[in-house]
Amino acid sequence: MIGALDVSTSALVAQRTRLNTISGNIANISTLQDENGDAKPYQPRYTIFQTDENMVATGNAPGVKVSSVEIDDKEPLYRYQPDHPLAVKEGKWKGYVAYPNINMNEQFVDALEATRSYEANIGVMEISKSLGSQSLSILA
């Protein structure tokens, strides 16, 4: 039973990281400059999970952990705004401003999926806790 709690806890931590990554993407949907002030749009991030063989529950069910948070190298979205101070000055995109290529609908669906997974793991933990409590009351 403790293994089931450990596996669910690992999933909660992983989904929290995923939600933090998604919220960072949404928060930076209009960020046009990097930390140095250069005209470089924010690049969205995404979370990669992997099984955690060090955490195994009954029935050899492994836990999960965050393998990495990757930067998406999508081409930015360009909008023609020649008077904008961050507009490209020369080349193919002259007069265009580069915006982050973040699909808000995709981010919301990912956040909803992560939230549902988070809730499901809390449900598993509640059931495990209830089973343990009932087992102890039977033995007492």
Side-chain angles (χ1 to χ4, degrees):
M1 179 179 65
I2 299 298
L5 291 175
D6 289 342
V7 169
S8 289
T9 301
S10 72
L12 290 174
V13 171
Q15 293 301 337
R16 183 187 65 211
T17 303
R18 182 178 178 201
L19 279 170
N20 287 340
T21 303
I22 293 166
S23 63
N25 289 341
I26 293 170
N28 286 293
I29 201 160
S30 0
T31 302
L32 305 179
Q33 296 174 305
D34 62 9
E35 55 276 349
N36 299 325
D38 297 330
K40 182 178 181 199
Y42 177 82
Q43 293 177 287
R45 275 83 169 142
Y46 57 95
T47 309
I48 305 293
F49 295 153
Q50 73 178 48
T51 57
D52 187 358
E53 300 297 336
N54 295 328
M55 186 174 303
V56 178
T58 307
N60 293 328
V64 65
K65 65 181 178 180
V66 174
S67 171
S68 63
V69 176
E70 301 289 327
I71 297 175
D72 198 343
D73 59 354
K74 289 181 187 176
E75 183 75 18
L77 300 174
Y78 289 97
R79 295 184 191 145
Y80 187 67
Q81 297 173 316
D83 295 331
H84 195 286
L86 297 175
V88 177
K89 304 295 184 225
E90 56 189 40
K92 174 183 174 183
W93 296 108
K94 182 178 179 181
Y96 286 83
V97 177
Y99 284 86
N101 192 352
I102 298 173
N103 183 327
M104 185 66 82
N105 290 331
E106 184 179 301
Q107 296 298 313
F108 280 150
V109 169
D110 285 348
L112 184 62
E113 182 181 310
T115 302
R116 294 288 186 243
S117 178
Y118 197 91
E119 291 169 350
N121 280 291
I122 288 175
V124 168
M125 293 177 86
E126 289 295 324
I127 289 171
S128 296
K129 187 174 89 173
S130 176
L131 284 172
S133 176
Q134 288 176 4
S135 297
L136 288 175
S137 69
I138 289 172
L139 295 174

